[in-house]
Amino acid sequence: MDLARTPATPDGNPKMADVPPIAPATPPLIRREDYRPFAWAIPQVALEFDLGLDSTTVRARLDVTRNPAAEPSPVLRLNGDGLQPAEVLVDGEAVSSWVMEGADLLLTLPGEAHQVAITTCIDPSANSQLMGLYASGGMLCTQCEAEGFRRITFFPDRPDVLSTYRVRMSGDRDLFPVLLSNGNLTASGRGPDALHWAEWHDPWPKPSYLFALVAGDLVVNRDSFTTMSGREVQLGIFVRAGDEGRTAHAMESLKRAMKWDEEVFGREYDLDTFNIVAVSDFNMGAMENKGLNVFNTKYVLADPDTATDGDFDAVEGVIAHEYFHNWSGNRVTCRDWFQLSLKEGFTVLRDQLFSQDMGSAAVKRIEDVRVLRSVQFPEDSGPLAHSIRPDSFREISNFYTATVYNKGAEVIRMMRTLAGPEKFRAGCDLYFERHDGEAATCEDFIRAMEDGTGLDLALFRRWYSQAGTPQVEVRLEQDGGQAVLSLKQTVPPTPGQELKQPMPIPLRVALHDRATGRLGAESLIVLEGAQGSFVFPDAGPDTVLSINRGFSAPVIIRREVAPQDLVFLAAHDDDPFARYEAMQDLVVSHLLGVVRGDPSAPEGRAAIGEVLRTVVADTGIDDLMRGELMILPGESYLADQLAQADPSAIHAAREGLKGWLARELEGELVALHQRACAAGEGFDAAPRGARKVKTQALVFLAAGNPALGAEMAAAQYDAATTMTDRQGALMVLAGLNSPERTGRLLDFYNRHKGNALVIDKWFALQAQSLHPNAIEHVKALARHPDFTLRNPNRARSLYMAFAGNPSAFHAPGGEGYRMIADTILALDPLNPQTAARFAPPLGRWRRFEPGRAALMRAELERVAAAPRLSRDTYEQVSRSLG
Ligand code: PHE
Ligand code: ZN
């Protein structure tokens, strides 16, 4: 925002209700409790665009009527951001009854109904924030969620104002042969001169954040889908020429998602057209604009030579996620941005369930829990902790978090666990039926769940209002054949929430018999209050407890558990998640012991070695699961277990264990790698699993025997026919100081030069590497001609990858912290939304040993002291210091 420019009326007089201060003031705090319905309704919007890369004219016509549900006001507040009105008409007449208040335009309107027409002029090529209408590689596209529409035209840019949109756009035929917007194409034509035009109509009322427009030179992969009621929907995936060969997987994923949502949630698509456009400059993953999803190329383009198996899964998951928003988000939208989890938590759960059904449910669950623990748990235990339905914000972009998304999904998953899948479906049906066409709240969702399932969710609502990961202390007492399970929960204090109430915690449990190895039946218990005990009358005299099976609740389980119990569970539990969990517990308690200097550490190590030996040899599990079980807990999760962590000690302990295990099991790991190399090619579970264990074996071997690891990784690289094998091998090589390293990195670059998504991998692999000179490599890469901060994917591929590389980021002198702070300062004026996402890694300073903490804090203070910080960065940095 340019505060120096004074908005002026057409006759040149400044019209300001409120003169913005010269020095940027603290951005205001927006509170959930202050929500009021908007005084006006805008049933219809007509937009006309004269498109140009550096100059686009927007004429907006709004039908405005009083909202009978709101307190009446003569003032119509239209939000703007960096806009000047070129013309303001009310009922066809130029008026002077408007003023600017800050960036907003305020019109005073008598009477009940009017037509307001406003013309604005914008420069898409100067839009480096990538919010509103912007230019990307010669095309024009929009991003409006959450508050980008106000950068296009003046409008009540809030999700509870729903309108039907007619869009007419015209532009140069050669520059913009493809013209797209929401809904259905209603007319198009040529002229005058080199221009052509198109008109789109979206019959479904929507909030402004779901508006989209795309104009550019694009090619399309077309297909169709017949819905359950027999309607044919035209599908299109639009990409840059040359990329069309990499869209098949996205198209197949889309059709699978459409079918699955009909079968599992009873949800049918509601337009004749569904289009997806891939753009390479995008702040987030993708956006669910009605009938016209706009995607980061990363989540559309995939073929085996350039995308890994993990990338294929991510494309499928994100395509499904955005498609599912058509009901959970678009047909039923959010009343205000505090309700973001209403659409995001629910839609993440829906995409997780979809992916579980498409592949291995157990592996998908483990992956989702790994993400939750490595990203959301640290958020929940740090200065940026917030409930899934926050109470206040300064900049809503900062609340597109793992808490709102992933914990939000866990909270709804718990309701599903409590109700069972059939009743959960009944609750969802009721929610959609009751609120179709509305802007709803989380409370509406909970009430529909109560009415549809019969559950009483009175106490469960606390999951929406309280932040922090609950801890559950577990004790099991055996008394002859009877076992008594005692549970006690505490929810830790978080910023602004010192005291917490207990929350209902559903736990799937089973008691196994140690002597016979007989596995017990599973039951669901619910810890309703602060404490509870549960009696298992015929448990047998010597049982092993399996608890929080399937990760039925997003909590931390604390218990004294004998290592031999964990060994038993890791090797034998019938719940695959519980097996993984036991393995993780075993490793976590061992590594924390090593960090604390616990003398019994060597025994723990031996137990882990035995379990890993079982896992590597177990014919009862497939390779996808084996690969999962072989992944050691991450350093951020380990650090999170300690009040004040020493990242060097954690890194050394984890690498030490990896190396020791690899030396103990060298023969087995080499054999596993050979067996996997001999497995066939293809994309079924078996070859995918083989590729996964292949690279996992290399990860271990490189730690235990670097020369052998390098030799095998180079061989895997040279023989690779897929990106999965090539990237896996290169990742391992990038971390080794070996002669094989440089040549393969160079080969990779030359082989994939010009493919932005693969070059992103090349940057990220080096920034994330275990190599002792990783910082130096990152500095050199920042000067590489392919590096730019202006492309969010590229900026993240270097610096987000680096911030996630614990040994480099936490380099003892603080150089890594300085680099991230410099990145924030350089990126903030260009793209505040992306800049602010680099603050959380530094924000965790309190959780590190005093030397590191002081260095991290000093960098945050340096950022905070910079003049003209964006609202986004200001909020994240001030909360982190606060
Ligand atoms: N709503 C998008 C999603 O599906 C995320 C997003 C938010 C994209 C803001 C762009 C901007 O999760
Ligand atoms: Zn979403």
Side-chain angles (χ1 to χ4, degrees):
M1 218 189 328
D2 185 352
L3 295 174
R5 255 191 312 173
T6 316
T9 56
D11 60 12
N13 293 323
K15 295 184 77 171
M16 311 278 292
D18 223 5
V19 179
I22 301 304
T26 305
L29 196 68
I30 320 288
R31 286 172 222 275
R32 183 163 59 87
E33 63 188 25
D34 292 341
Y35 172 82
R36 299 289 178 277
F38 194 60
W40 298 86
I42 319 256
Q44 292 193 64
V45 176
L47 299 173
E48 247 181 76
F49 289 84
D50 289 338
L51 299 169
L53 288 170
D54 339 273
S55 172
T56 289
T57 303
V58 186
R59 278 180 293 276
R61 250 189 7 253
L62 320 179
D63 288 353
V64 174
T65 62
R66 291 203 173 274
N67 176 4
E71 206 169 298
S73 162
V75 177
L76 171 68
R77 174 182 288 273
L78 300 175
N79 303 118
D81 179 358
L83 298 178
Q84 314 250 16
E87 186 178 54
V88 180
L89 305 179
V90 174
D91 302 323
E93 308 270 327
V95 295
S96 60
S97 57
W98 61 274
V99 292
M100 296 297 294
E101 187 183 275
D104 294 347
L105 189 153
L106 272 49
L107 256 173
T108 306
L109 297 176
E112 293 296 311
H114 297 280
Q115 193 176 71
V116 173
I118 300 182
T119 303
T120 50
C121 199
I122 49 186
D123 178 357
S125 63
N127 184 347
S128 62
Q129 293 187 29
L130 314 182
M131 287 294 281
L133 179 71
Y134 63 93
S136 170
M139 71 190 249
L140 289 173
C141 66
T142 55
Q143 173 52 44
C144 293
E145 187 178 6
E147 298 181 336
F149 192 71
R150 62 183 66 184
R151 295 166 54 78
I152 298 173
T153 187
F154 290 101
F155 196 77
D157 195 11
R158 40 186 288 166
D160 61 343
V161 174
L162 275 61
S163 324
T164 55
Y165 284 66
R166 260 179 209 290
V167 176
R168 184 186 201 276
M169 63 191 111
S170 101
D172 186 282
R173 273 200 306 270
D174 295 331
L175 279 179
F176 311 119
V178 172
L179 301 173
L180 304 172
S181 190
N182 314 90
N184 302 311
L185 180 69
T186 48
S188 61
R190 293 172 71 114
D193 306 324
L195 299 180
H196 71 153
W197 58 272
E199 272 177 20
W200 290 79
H201 176 235
D202 179 1
W204 296 103
K206 65 169 176 287
S208 53
Y209 82 86
L210 291 173
F211 166 77
L213 173 155
V214 171
D217 189 1
L218 300 167
V219 294
V220 58
N221 173 1
R222 284 196 198 280
D223 206 327
S224 72
F225 178 82
T226 305
T227 70
M228 59 189 188
S229 70
R231 279 188 313 101
E232 186 169 303
V233 181
Q234 302 307 317
L235 310 177
I237 299 184
F238 292 79
V239 297
R240 306 281 297 275
D243 286 342
E244 60 275 23
R246 292 190 285 153
T247 57
H249 175 65
M251 184 61 87
E252 292 310 310
S253 301
L254 174 60
K255 291 187 283 180
R256 283 195 292 270
M258 294 179 85
K259 182 130 192 67
W260 185 91
D261 210 18
E262 292 182 345
E263 287 171 359
V264 178
F265 277 87
R267 299 291 120 200
E268 184 177 4
Y269 188 62
D270 56 5
L271 287 166
D272 305 330
T273 309
F274 185 80
N275 286 328
I276 289 176
V277 178
V279 303
S280 45
D281 298 285
F282 202 74
N283 283 336
M284 309 278 272
M287 180 62 212
E288 70 265 23
N289 318 299
K290 184 79 187 190
L292 179 56
N293 286 190
V294 175
F295 271 63
N296 190 320
T297 44
K298 185 176 164 63
Y299 296 109
V300 175
L301 304 179
D303 68 16
D305 189 50
T306 60
T308 63
D309 295 331
D311 295 329
F312 272 74
D313 288 347
V315 167
E316 182 181 67
V318 178
I319 292 266
H321 178 98
E322 304 310 329
Y323 173 72
F324 295 158
H325 268 314
N326 190 56
W327 275 94
S328 48
N330 301 3
R331 285 289 285 262
V332 183
T333 191
C334 299
R335 185 191 75 172
D336 55 66
W337 291 120
F338 298 103
Q339 320 297 329
L340 185 57
S341 203
L342 175 71
K343 74 174 175 84
E344 294 305 345
F346 188 24
T347 305
V348 170
L349 175 65
R350 279 153 53 68
D351 84 54
Q352 290 179 348
L353 295 175
F354 165 75
S355 296
Q356 284 186 354
D357 284 354
M358 294 301 113
S360 158
V363 170
K364 173 64 179 161
R365 186 65 186 134
I366 292 170
E367 287 168 355
D368 289 338
V369 174
R370 198 191 2 260
V371 171
L372 190 81
R373 281 178 169 159
S374 59
V375 186
Q376 198 277 328
F377 277 23
E379 186 167 88
D380 231 354
S381 67
L384 302 176
H386 52 278
S387 54
I388 65 169
R389 181 187 55 205
D391 292 316
S392 64
F393 61 74
R394 292 184 204 279
E395 170 50 61
I396 184 57
S397 299
N398 288 329
F399 288 79
Y400 287 79
T401 58
T403 298
V404 166
Y405 275 66
N406 304 59
K407 187 178 181 179
E410 293 297 326
V411 169
I412 300 178
R413 187 186 284 261
M414 282 191 285
M415 293 188 218
R416 183 172 180 266
T417 301
L418 289 165
E422 283 88 34
K423 286 188 176 162
F424 177 74
R425 167 69 196 271
C428 293
D429 288 352
L430 184 61
Y431 167 71
F432 287 125
E433 187 190 312
R434 232 183 228 178
H435 298 290
D436 188 12
E438 291 180 6
T441 61
C442 295
E443 178 57 30
D444 291 331
F445 183 86
I446 301 167
R447 214 169 295 140
M449 273 295 147
E450 284 183 317
D451 295 345
T453 62
L455 289 172
D456 175 355
L457 298 170
L459 299 178
F460 191 86
R461 281 171 170 75
R462 291 173 181 163
W463 281 102
Y464 280 83
S465 56
Q466 297 192 141
T469 308
Q471 306 202 354
V472 181
E473 257 175 64
V474 176
R475 263 193 9 257
L476 184 73
E477 268 150 20
Q478 308 263 154
D479 178 8
Q482 169 173 297
V484 179
L485 180 61
S486 305
L487 305 176
K488 188 171 153 217
Q489 64 165 300
T490 47
V491 188
T494 48
Q497 292 186 339
E498 278 312 305
L499 292 173
K500 300 282 171 63
Q501 304 284 316
M503 307 195 276
I505 296 177
L507 294 167
R508 288 165 46 195
V509 297
L511 292 171
H512 304 315
D513 190 67
R514 188 196 315 275
T516 62
R518 196 172 47 81
L519 299 176
E522 182 178 289
S523 56
L524 178 69
I525 59 175
V526 184
L527 174 61
E528 291 278 357
Q531 308 200 25
S533 34
F534 302 83
V535 179
F536 295 82
D538 23 54
D542 185 20
T543 62
V544 180
L545 172 66
S546 172
I547 190 166
N548 206 15
R549 291 156 66 86
F551 202 68
S552 57
V555 301
I556 295 166
I557 300 288
R558 299 244 179 260
R559 60 166 168 162
E560 291 295 325
V561 52
Q564 67 269 24
D565 282 11
L566 293 175
V567 171
F568 177 91
L569 293 170
H572 303 298
D573 205 318
D574 55 337
D575 176 47
F577 179 80
R579 265 187 92 165
Y580 163 82
E581 187 71 338
M583 178 74 176
Q584 295 287 299
D585 276 356
L586 207 53
V587 177
V588 169
S589 60
H590 165 70
L591 290 177
L592 295 181
V594 173
V595 168
R596 291 195 197 99
D598 179 347
S600 71
E603 292 157 41
R605 198 169 70 175
I608 296 166
E610 280 324 297
V611 177
L612 188 60
R613 200 181 301 277
T614 314
V615 165
V616 168
D618 191 343
T619 51
I621 51 175
D622 66 12
D623 278 340
L624 282 172
M625 184 56 133
R626 190 180 334 280
E628 214 54 54
L629 293 172
M630 290 172 72
I631 299 175
L632 298 179
E635 289 174 41
S636 81
Y637 180 63
L638 289 162
D640 214 33
Q641 311 302 306
L642 298 163
Q644 284 195 330
D646 175 353
S648 308
I650 291 175
H651 182 73
R654 187 174 182 279
E655 287 306 305
L657 175 65
K658 233 163 80 183
W660 183 84
L661 289 169
R663 286 185 292 275
E664 285 294 295
L665 276 81
E666 188 173 294
E668 285 93 331
L669 289 165
V670 170
L672 177 65
H673 189 266
Q674 281 168 350
R675 197 252 297 150
C677 286
E681 298 191 359
F683 299 91
D684 297 337
R688 290 178 51 134
R691 289 192 285 271
K692 185 165 172 182
V693 294
K694 213 190 276 184
T695 291
Q696 280 308 311
L698 285 186
V699 165
F700 276 102
L701 288 166
N705 182 345
L708 176 66
E711 187 194 315
M712 289 173 64
Q716 177 175 316
Y717 181 95
D718 295 342
T721 57
T722 61
M723 179 52 77
T724 307
D725 280 349
R726 195 176 303 130
Q727 178 184 302
L730 193 61
M731 173 197 46
V732 169
L733 279 175
L736 292 171
N737 219 341
S738 74
E740 291 91 340
R741 179 180 189 278
T742 320
R744 300 312 186 290
L745 277 170
L746 200 61
D747 176 83
F748 189 91
Y749 179 81
N750 288 329
R751 183 184 181 104
H752 297 290
K753 195 163 31 182
N755 182 327
L757 294 174
V758 186
I759 297 303
D760 288 340
K761 293 176 182 297
W762 183 78
F763 277 97
L765 281 173
Q766 297 176 73
Q768 265 162 353
S769 89
L770 288 169
H771 197 282
N773 300 338
I775 289 203
E776 299 310 317
H777 298 156
V778 171
K779 283 195 209 154
L781 287 168
R783 294 189 300 267
H784 192 280
D786 287 352
F787 186 73
T788 171
L789 280 179
R790 288 187 173 263
N791 175 266
N793 285 1
R794 187 56 49 83
R796 287 187 286 252
S797 75
L798 188 61
Y799 291 119
M800 212 43 109
F802 174 78
N805 180 345
S807 62
F809 177 62
H810 293 288
E815 201 178 349
Y817 309 146
R818 208 173 316 133
M819 188 181 281
I820 292 303
D822 286 340
T823 303
I824 297 173
L825 290 170
L827 201 47
D828 196 49
L830 295 173
N831 186 334
Q833 199 177 318
T834 299
R837 291 195 170 256
F838 288 91
L842 289 170
R844 304 204 36 76
W845 60 275
R846 281 187 193 77
R847 301 296 304 278
F848 292 98
E849 51 83 19
R852 300 292 207 309
L855 291 165
M856 294 169 88
R857 191 186 157 91
E859 291 303 328
L860 282 171
E861 282 169 345
R862 184 162 67 88
V863 175
R868 282 184 295 281
L869 275 189
S870 68
R871 221 170 2 161
D872 311 60
T873 297
Y874 172 86
E875 180 175 45
Q876 295 307 71
V877 169
S878 59
R879 283 161 79 204
S880 300
L881 286 167

